[in-house]
Structures are given as C-alpha cells and as structure tokens.
C-alpha cells in the first residue's frame, strides 16, 4: 500500500469511496509479494498493481463490486491448464487478494497510518481476512499503542505481540489464530501489513560511483545516506538522489548511528585512511550487507591491514570485496547495477547465474 498511499489519501481526504485490493498470500512463482496493492475509485480510476498485469482486470471488477456493496471479498487467482484464457497467472503461481471498501467511515485510522509511514514511525495494520472471525475487523498497532479490535481481547493481545515482532523484522504476511488468540489454532486468518521504515543504505565515499549507487539504492527502496569527510565533495547538489548527505569521518559517523540486519553498507573510498577504520566498525555491526570497492591488490592490502588491526577471519568473511557481482561492469552506472544485483542476491539467496542456466523456481521463497 505504500506505493499507492499518496493517491488514495487524495481520494480519502476528498470523501471518495474506493476499493482497496491487497495481496495477502502467494504460492509458488507469484509476481507480487504480500502487501502489493491496487486501488479502484468509484469513478473507475486505478492506481497500483497486484500482479503486474495478469489479473488486474478481474481484480478491477471485484473492486467495483466491493465499492458498491461494501462487502469485502477474498479472491484466489491461479493458472488453469484446462482453460488458458481463464483469469489466471501465466507464471504458474497462486495469488490471494483481499478486497475491501475504504472511506473515512470504514477506515478511520488511514490518515494516522499515513502520517506514521511518512514520519518513518513503525506501524502495522492487522485485518481479519478469513475464517470464523469478523471479516474486515481491523487493529492498528504502533510500538507503544494500538487502535481498534479484531473481536476479542485475547486475539488483540496475540496480534499486538506478533505484529510488533513482524515490524522489527520488516515482515508482512498472514497469521492464523483461534478466536481468543490461540496460536496453535486455525479459526481466524489475519493479514498483517508491516510498515517498517525503509532499510538503510550507507554509501561511504563521495565519488561519481557513489552517485550511481545512491540512485539505484533509492530505486530499490532504501533510505540512502552518502557520507564523506571532505565537505567540498559531499554536497546535496552532487548527490540529488540521496536522502541525506553527511560530512564526517566515516568511522565516526557509523559508530554513532543504529545499524540493523537490513542495513547495506557500501564502502567506495578505496583509501586506507578512510576504509580501514570504517570497516573495523562496520564488520562489528549486524549489517546484512557490507561491501568494499577496490582492485584485487587493494583488497589484499586492505585485508592485511584489517588483520593487523585485530579483525578475525569470521569477521572478514562477511566482507564482500571487491564489491558487486561479476558483470564486467565499467561505468559508474554499470558498477551500481552489479552492486544492486549482489544486494538482491544476498537478500533472497539467488545463485547469481543467468536464469537460462538454472532450474526450478524463478522467485525464491520470501525470507
């Protein structure tokens, strides 16, 4: 829903009723992940996508009906070998979509949710989408408070606990409970959409390659920071795609901020006086990706210096250097693509090989 938020808020604030279709579950090679959304206004305006084109027409019709009746709908779409022209996913996956009517009366918390998302305050929306519970009941959960009810205090307590855990991990998906929140039962299906702040990309070194990396990082959904000790190079004008540009010694800056498992650290300085102290700090953080630019010779020299500084083999094994996948990239833009490819591979566990030379699922399981 994050992708369509600005448009649906215009409708919402203007008193327009619209249908909101959300992917709540996928199986096999579905084109979009849980949380992908499409909205249809009463005037047949459409924003967003739930399948990249495969089933949008069918979802559009369902959304129009939901707008008219106010009754939510849970739809399953999958490929049919018996009828190639039937509504379905030609990729072979299965997509579960929940469609609900939204306006200021049916979803009074939407404005507060939007404000939290824009302020980068973690917030989760839990909705009963199936089972014996009250379909469409909703609870909004922040770190320190919650609003609404799913039907029982036990279920509210369970979802508050689970939703906050999902926010910490940046995970969106379905959960199953008993009517009183029992976790080993399957009477109520609840979809939890976690609006965790975007993961951070920290780009160190204000060089031309950094501008390209910042651009692709922003495209991938990261909150991008460019940092360099040299104020003449580290300027907002040189890095228009970065969310912030910081003039500080890199290792001092990294020491003072919070780094989690979703953080990507890209060290592009390839200058020992910058990157060795910086990597000593970086390799002690829980960052999910730590890469450093440089030639093979630079890498060997840097590794030797890090060993002399007391870094262990286990810590050094986390460093991806030279940074990026082997694409024979030459330009800053091509290099940024190779780094982005390695980031995606690290996140989802792909092989990095050409798909023509692999077998099995194209879209791996969500982690």
């Amino acid at each position: 829903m994050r992708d369509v938020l600005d448009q649906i808020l215009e409708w919402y604030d203007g008193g327009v009723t619209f249908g909101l279709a959300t992917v709540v579950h996928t199986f096999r090679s579905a084109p979009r992940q849980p949380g992908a959304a499409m909205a249809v206004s009463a005037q047949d305006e459409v924003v967003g996508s739930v399948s990249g084109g495969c089933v949008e027409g069918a979802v559009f019709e369902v959304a129009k009906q939901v707008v008219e009746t106010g009754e939510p709908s849970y739809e399953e779409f999958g490929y049919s070998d018996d009828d190639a022209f039937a509504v379905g996913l030609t990729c072979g996956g299965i997509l579960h979509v929940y469609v609900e009517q939204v306006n200021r009366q049916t979803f009074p918390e939407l404005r507060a949710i939007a404000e939290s998302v824009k302020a980068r305050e973690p917030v989760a929306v839990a909705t009963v989408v199936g089972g014996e519970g009250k379909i469409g009941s909703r609870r909004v959960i922040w770190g320190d408070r919650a609003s609404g009810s799913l039907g029982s205090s036990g279920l509210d307590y369970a979802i508050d606990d689970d939703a906050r855990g999902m926010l910490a991990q940046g995970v969106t998906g379905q959960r199953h409970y008993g009517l009183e929140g029992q976790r080993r039962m399957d009477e109520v299906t609840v979809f939890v959409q976690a609006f965790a702040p975007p993961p951070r990309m920290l780009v160190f070194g204000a060089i031309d390659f950094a501008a390209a990396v910042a651009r692709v990082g922003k495209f991938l959904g990261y909150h991008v920071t460019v940092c360099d000790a040299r104020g003449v190079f580290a300027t907002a004008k040189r890095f228009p795609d970065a969310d912030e540009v910081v003039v500080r010694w890199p290792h001092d800056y990294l020491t003072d901020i919070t780094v989690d498992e979703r953080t990507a650290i890209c060290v592009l300085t390839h200058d020992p006086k910058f990157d060795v102290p910086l990597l000593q700090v970086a390799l002690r953080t829980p960052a999910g990706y730590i890469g450093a630019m440089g030639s093979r010779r630079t890498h060997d020299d840097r590794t030797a210096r890090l060993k002399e500084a007391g870094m262990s083999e286990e810590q050094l094994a986390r460093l991806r250097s030279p940074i990026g996948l082997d694409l024979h990239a030459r330009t800053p833009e091509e290099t940024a693509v190779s780094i982005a490819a390695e980031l995606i591979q690290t996140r989802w566990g792909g092989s990095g090989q050409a798909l023509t030379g692999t077998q099995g699922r194209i879209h791996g399981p969500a982690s």
Side-chain angles (χ1 to χ4, degrees):
M1 190 168 70
R2 195 190 301 266
D3 294 338
V4 302
L5 194 55
D6 289 341
Q7 180 59 62
I8 66 175
L9 278 176
E10 287 187 20
W11 296 344
Y12 184 83
D13 291 338
V16 175
T17 294
F18 56 93
L20 182 63
T22 306
V23 177
V24 296
H25 186 62
T26 64
F27 180 69
R28 296 180 65 183
S29 190
R32 301 296 303 275
Q33 293 299 311
M38 184 177 92
V40 179
S41 75
Q43 289 73 40
D44 292 348
E45 294 179 88
V46 179
V47 292
S49 170
V50 293
S51 71
C54 302
V55 301
E56 255 70 5
V59 173
F60 173 80
E61 295 299 332
V62 173
K64 286 179 60 178
Q65 182 178 353
V66 168
V67 169
E68 293 175 2
T69 66
E71 293 296 321
S73 180
Y74 190 100
E75 304 289 332
E76 178 181 317
F77 300 98
Y79 181 71
S80 171
D81 291 325
D82 297 327
D83 184 1
F85 294 100
V87 173
L89 303 175
T90 55
C91 58
I94 296 175
L95 205 63
H96 294 196
V97 180
Y98 177 73
V99 189
E100 61 187 320
Q101 183 196 74
V102 175
N103 55 40
R104 284 182 290 189
Q105 288 70 46
T106 63
F107 200 161
E109 306 92 346
L110 183 59
R111 168 54 64 181
I113 294 167
E115 290 173 355
S116 291
V117 170
K118 291 181 182 297
R120 304 183 75 243
E121 178 189 20
V123 58
V125 182
T127 308
V128 175
V129 298
E132 301 175 26
K134 182 182 177 182
I135 304 300
S137 58
R138 183 185 298 109
R139 187 167 174 84
V140 183
I141 303 101
W142 289 268
D144 58 353
R145 63 195 189 280
S147 173
S149 177
L150 299 185
S152 73
S153 59
L155 185 53
D156 290 345
Y157 180 84
I159 203 65
D160 287 358
D161 190 40
D162 288 352
R164 288 179 177 127
M166 295 169 74
L167 276 171
Q169 300 176 49
V171 173
T172 286
Q174 287 188 160
R175 293 293 184 269
H176 302 278
Y177 304 92
L179 290 172
E180 294 298 325
Q182 303 94 323
R183 287 185 171 83
R184 295 187 178 183
M185 301 183 71
D186 196 18
E187 296 174 300
V188 182
T189 300
V190 180
F191 175 66
V192 180
Q193 185 158 19
F195 293 99
R200 299 194 68 178
M201 174 183 280
L202 307 175
V203 182
F204 294 99
I207 61 176
D208 51 355
F209 286 88
V213 172
R215 191 177 311 124
V216 76
K218 193 65 179 175
F219 177 76
L220 291 176
Y222 286 91
H223 179 89
V224 180
T225 299
V226 175
C227 176
D228 197 297
R230 303 164 296 178
V232 67
F233 296 115
T235 66
K237 185 175 181 179
R238 294 190 69 225
F239 299 97
D241 296 293
D243 293 286
E244 56 181 346
V245 179
V246 176
V247 181
R248 283 191 67 184
W249 277 86
H251 67 283
D252 287 338
Y253 173 71
L254 187 58
T255 299
D256 289 344
I257 66 172
T258 300
V259 173
D260 62 23
E261 291 80 0
R262 299 190 301 150
T263 303
I265 298 175
C266 301
V267 180
L268 310 183
T269 52
H270 52 82
D271 182 335
K273 69 176 179 289
F274 288 112
D275 58 16
V276 171
L278 172 59
L279 288 170
Q280 288 182 66
V281 178
L283 292 170
R284 292 187 173 97
T285 71
Y289 177 91
I290 305 171
M293 178 179 280
S295 65
R296 303 287 184 187
R297 180 179 297 178
T298 298
H299 168 73
D300 291 341
D301 176 71
R302 182 166 50 214
T303 300
R305 290 173 183 266
L306 288 169
K307 287 181 178 178
E308 290 176 4
M311 304 304 293
S312 68
E313 293 292 341
E314 182 179 3
Q315 289 170 323
L316 291 172
R318 299 181 58 212
L319 177 60
R320 294 177 174 269
S321 175
I323 195 171
L325 296 187
D326 180 17
L327 304 182
H328 286 193
R330 296 177 180 273
T331 67
E333 291 74 20
E334 290 176 346
T335 301
V337 169
S338 78
I339 295 171
E342 188 172 47
L343 278 166
I344 296 168
Q345 179 200 26
T346 302
R347 179 178 182 184
W348 300 111
S351 68
Q353 302 179 47
L355 288 172
T356 54
T358 64
Q359 301 292 325
R361 294 176 59 176
I362 295 176
H363 305 289
S367 60

